[in-house]
Structure formats: C-alpha cells, structure tokens
Amino acid sequence: MALGDLEREVMTQLWDASEPLTVRQVHELLGRERDLAYTTVMTVLDRLAKKKLVVQQRADRAYRYAPAQSRAEMTAALMFDALSATPDQDAALAYFLGQLPPGAIRAALDATPKET
Amino acid sequence: MTALLLGALGLTLSLAVPGVLAGARWPDRAPVAAVLLWQALTLTSVLCALGVVLAAPEEMTRAAGADHPWTVVALVLSLAVAATIVIRLLISLIKVSARARARRERHRMLADLLDRAERHRELGGGEVRVLDGALPLAYCVPGREPRVVLSDAVLRILDREQVDAVLEHERAHLRHKHELVMESFTAFYQAVPRPLRSRAPLDAVHLLLEMVSDDAARRRAGPAPLRAALARLSDAVPLAEEAPADPAGESRRRRLDRLAGPAPNSTGLSVLAGVAAVGLLVLPTVILVVPWLDQALDAWPFRSL
C-alpha cells in the first residue's frame, strides 16, 4: 500500500476518533482489515506530526496523537486556498470555474452547510 | 531615429494594444492563436524596451559628436539598465514558479489526505480527488504528480457525463501545461513597476486558456455535457454573479456562448493571429537591422563596380 494512502487512512482514524489515540490504538483500528507493522504506523504518525498535521501529546508515559484541525476545518482551509489563488500572485492552480471575487469567498464557504 | 521608432512601438504595444486586444471578441474563435499573440505582444514590448535602452545613448552621443568621453559612460549605463531589465524578469520568473511549486506541493498533499476515495472509485483516473463540501468547485493542481480536485457538491449537482466533461477539461489544462503559460505572464506582471502594470493580459490569457481546455473537452465529451456542467456549476455559486461588475460572470457567459452552437473556431482567424504574432516578434529586429543594413550597403566596396 502506498504511503500516501496509509497517511490518509491514519488521518481518517484520528478524525473519526473522539479522543487522541496512541500508536497502538491506531494500529489496532487499521490492523483489523490487514497486516500492518506497528512501526509502520509509528513512522506514519511521526511524518504527519512533522508536517504539523497531527499534534503529539504526552500522557501516561505514552504519546497520543490528535489531528491539528478537524476534517471540516482543514477542508474549508484548502478550499479557501484554492479559491483565493489568483493569477497575479502565483498562478498555482487552474480552474473549471473562474475564481470568486475575494469578498465572496468567505461568504460562500460560510454559507455552505457543513456536512460532518 | 532607431531608438525613437523602437520607443514608439514599445509604448504602443504596452499601453494601447493590450486594451484593444482584451476588449476584442474575435479571440474567442481562435483562442490558441490569441494566446500566441499575447505572448508575442509581451515579448516584443520587452525587446523594444531593451532596444531603446541600448540604442538611445549611443545615438545621442553620436549626434553630440563622437569620441566624447561621455560616450563610454553612456554605453556602460545603458548596458547596466538593459541587464537590470533582463535580470529583474528572470528573478520574477524564478520567484513566481518557486512559489507556485510550493503552493501546489502543499495543496496536493492536503488534497490527498482529505480525499474521500470511496466517492470516486467509479470515475477512474488515479489523479482524481474528492473533497467534502457543498460549494461546487473543480480545479487541477499541476506538477509532476498532478491532481484533479472536485468538491463533493460537483458530484451531486452533475450527472456522470457532465463530470466526465469537467475531468476532460482539467486534464487538458494538465496535458497542455497551461500553468507554464500563466506563470510566465504572472512573472511579467510582477516584474513591471506597479504604476505601469496591467491585469488585462493576465485575465485575457486566463480566459483564453479556459477556452482552449473547453475545446479539448468538447472534442472528447461533446459540447452539451460541458455546457450543462458550466451552467449548473455557475448557477450553484450565486454569490459570484451578484458581485458588481464581476468579470467572472462575463467570462462564463462568453464560454457558454462558445459552447452553444457548432464549433466556433475559425482557421482563417487563427492563421491571421499567428502571422501577426510572428510579425510582431520580427518587427523590432527589422527596425534595428534596416538602418544598419542601409549603412552597410553604403559602405559596400564593390558598389561602384
């Protein structure tokens, strides 16, 4: 399984959990369906922490991991980034729909009901 | 004389022509050639600026009398200014592409993490990502590992055929490397001093590239699904239409109009615009070379024979 897919599944577990998880808990949640090394899960969590996507908390001699932002927050931030990318800055992305005028972006994102 | 001619040409090309070209509607019928014309226009105005800087001091000192010590100073100064222009453009290009690459990199990583993989299994294509969210949005993230990102709302609003048309449109952007064209125009825009810069080329080329992708998607998926997708997605984002004097609303109308009838592209217009683009690029060289050729012919030793 590709590393990117694994990172996504680990994030999904952390997002779905109600509290910060230990490596062992993540490993158990993922391991139900397939054979996965404990150390692999540890490496993935470590990489995600380095990218500042998850935060590491120390509790009872074990590290616990929580997502830095909820899935909804992170999605909204990504969409905001996509919608506010204008060609006079860096022309990073190309669109099917033209960009929204700057004032409308926040309003549009706020107006859309959150799905979670 | 050469400097004056080049200066007049440069000013015309950078101040008058972009407004006319941005306001014209014929580029809708020859989008590829029109992009070439914009590129030639921009490049030629840079060449003219360089030509003026290099030719003017030399001509002025020659008029004032040769062998003057100021001739050397003027020449050194003009070389320095010309070098500054070139370096400024290059630095701008490097900065813009580095910033775009970093933004895409991060954007791709986050899109991969937030992807709802289970919602697009049947769409095919390993590069498609689907994000949660009721705001309809479709775009692509260019790069060595490109992504096409759709919001969940797109999948709910559009049927399968229309989604395929949208995907074809985004893949055309990726295949034709439109991001490189946009990056070069952005770099030029940022290199021009603030009071002189104009958004007209940026916005015009952006819209033209959308039309080029529309044409590619139309060939593969047919005009009807693409047009329906564009109309439905714009209807679902009413805020953009309400904004006063919104250029995006106008550009959407132009794209919809192109998709309404038979294929609008005209070979004749494309050829004309292409010839104009080449002509523009050659013009400064001709202006520089002709007087020199004149002098050279005068000095031709076998002329009297």
Side-chain angles (χ1 to χ4, degrees):
Chain A
M1 166 180 262
L3 200 56
D5 287 338
L6 201 51
E7 287 186 348
R8 178 167 49 80
E9 297 208 6
V10 168
M11 280 309 283
T12 306
Q13 294 301 337
L14 293 179
W15 274 320
D16 290 348
S18 52
E19 51 175 7
L21 301 177
T22 61
V23 179
R24 185 156 303 283
Q25 284 171 315
V26 176
H27 180 233
E28 278 166 13
L29 285 167
L30 288 174
R32 277 181 202 150
E33 296 121 55
R34 68 180 104 46
D35 187 29
L36 200 64
Y38 175 85
T39 48
T40 311
V41 178
M42 206 162 71
T43 312
V44 169
L45 280 166
D46 201 44
R47 278 171 55 104
L48 290 170
K50 281 208 182 90
K51 292 179 188 169
K52 302 205 190 308
L53 296 167
V54 304
V55 284
Q56 213 178 25
Q57 301 163 353
R58 197 177 172 107
D60 310 334
R61 295 189 5 239
Y63 281 118
R64 288 175 177 275
Y65 295 85
Q69 286 179 303
S70 73
R71 181 188 267 272
E73 283 167 346
M74 211 181 264
T75 306
L78 188 66
M79 286 201 180
F80 184 72
D81 182 53
L83 285 166
S84 58
T86 57
D88 60 335
Q89 295 163 5
D90 55 17
L93 311 162
Y95 290 85
F96 182 64
L97 280 176
Q99 292 90 344
L100 296 179
I105 298 171
R106 265 293 159 211
L109 278 177
D110 291 344
T112 55
K114 297 276 177 294
E115 280 189 72
T116 43
Chain B
M1 196 54 206
T2 308
L4 271 181
L5 266 177
L6 281 176
L9 179 66
L11 284 177
T12 315
L13 291 184
S14 51
L15 297 179
V17 179
V20 175
L21 189 54
R25 285 296 168 266
W26 66 260
D28 294 13
R29 293 167 57 212
V32 175
V35 170
L36 283 179
L37 191 56
W38 275 109
Q39 286 176 316
L41 193 62
T42 308
L43 199 55
T44 307
S45 58
V46 173
L47 289 179
C48 283
L50 290 177
V52 169
V53 168
L54 290 176
E58 193 262 344
E59 283 187 303
M60 279 194 289
T61 47
R62 186 143 43 100
D67 293 340
H68 201 276
W70 285 111
T71 317
V72 181
V73 178
L75 198 67
V76 170
L77 266 181
S78 66
L79 280 176
V81 173
T84 310
I85 294 177
V86 172
I87 290 170
R88 199 184 156 111
L89 280 170
L90 285 179
I91 288 180
S92 181
L93 189 61
I94 292 167
K95 265 163 63 179
V96 164
S97 61
R99 206 160 45 218
R101 198 156 353 118
R103 187 173 191 169
R104 285 175 199 139
E105 194 93 352
R106 184 169 168 74
H107 204 99
R108 194 187 60 227
M109 176 194 69
L110 290 173
D112 283 357
L113 284 180
L114 292 163
D115 178 33
R116 291 293 199 179
E118 67 280 4
R119 298 205 193 137
H120 60 81
R121 297 229 188 278
E122 79 282 8
L123 284 180
E127 81 278 38
V128 180
R129 299 289 177 267
V130 171
L131 300 180
D132 279 336
L135 187 70
L137 190 60
Y139 59 94
C140 63
V141 188
R144 242 183 311 164
E145 289 178 76
R147 296 285 182 270
V148 176
V149 183
L150 306 175
S151 74
D152 198 36
V154 172
L155 295 182
R156 270 186 280 116
I157 294 172
L158 304 183
D159 66 24
R160 179 61 203 275
E161 257 195 328
Q162 293 159 353
V163 172
D164 281 342
V166 172
L167 291 179
E168 286 303 337
H169 172 99
E170 298 302 340
R171 284 177 186 139
H173 279 313
L174 296 173
R175 219 173 29 243
H176 299 149
K177 301 247 175 281
H178 286 167
E179 75 273 14
L180 297 182
V181 180
M182 276 322 289
E183 276 172 27
S184 62
F185 277 96
T186 303
F188 177 77
Y189 172 81
Q190 296 198 342
V192 174
R194 205 169 285 270
L196 295 177
R197 57 170 75 150
S198 151
R199 274 193 68 105
L202 275 183
D203 293 332
V205 170
H206 187 256
L207 176 57
L208 287 169
L209 291 176
E210 294 299 334
M211 291 177 179
V212 173
S213 281
D214 280 347
D215 287 343
R218 165 193 206 126
R219 278 193 295 275
R220 291 178 181 225
L226 187 65
R227 185 168 200 278
L230 193 54
R232 282 194 179 183
L233 290 181
S234 343
D235 287 347
V237 193
L239 282 154
E241 301 284 354
E242 279 166 25
D246 169 33
E250 160 73 8
S251 58
R252 249 170 252 171
R253 247 187 313 284
R254 277 167 71 179
R255 283 171 65 189
L256 284 173
D257 287 347
R258 293 180 79 249
L259 294 168
N265 287 352
S266 143
T267 316
L269 269 177
S270 298
V271 171
L272 268 181
V275 170
V278 175
L280 265 181
L281 271 178
V282 176
L283 208 52
T285 321
V286 171
I287 292 179
L288 277 177
V289 166
V290 164
W292 174 82
L293 206 62
D294 220 26
Q295 284 172 6
L297 282 178
D298 277 346
W300 188 246
F302 309 109
R303 208 177 194 189
S304 50
L305 290 182

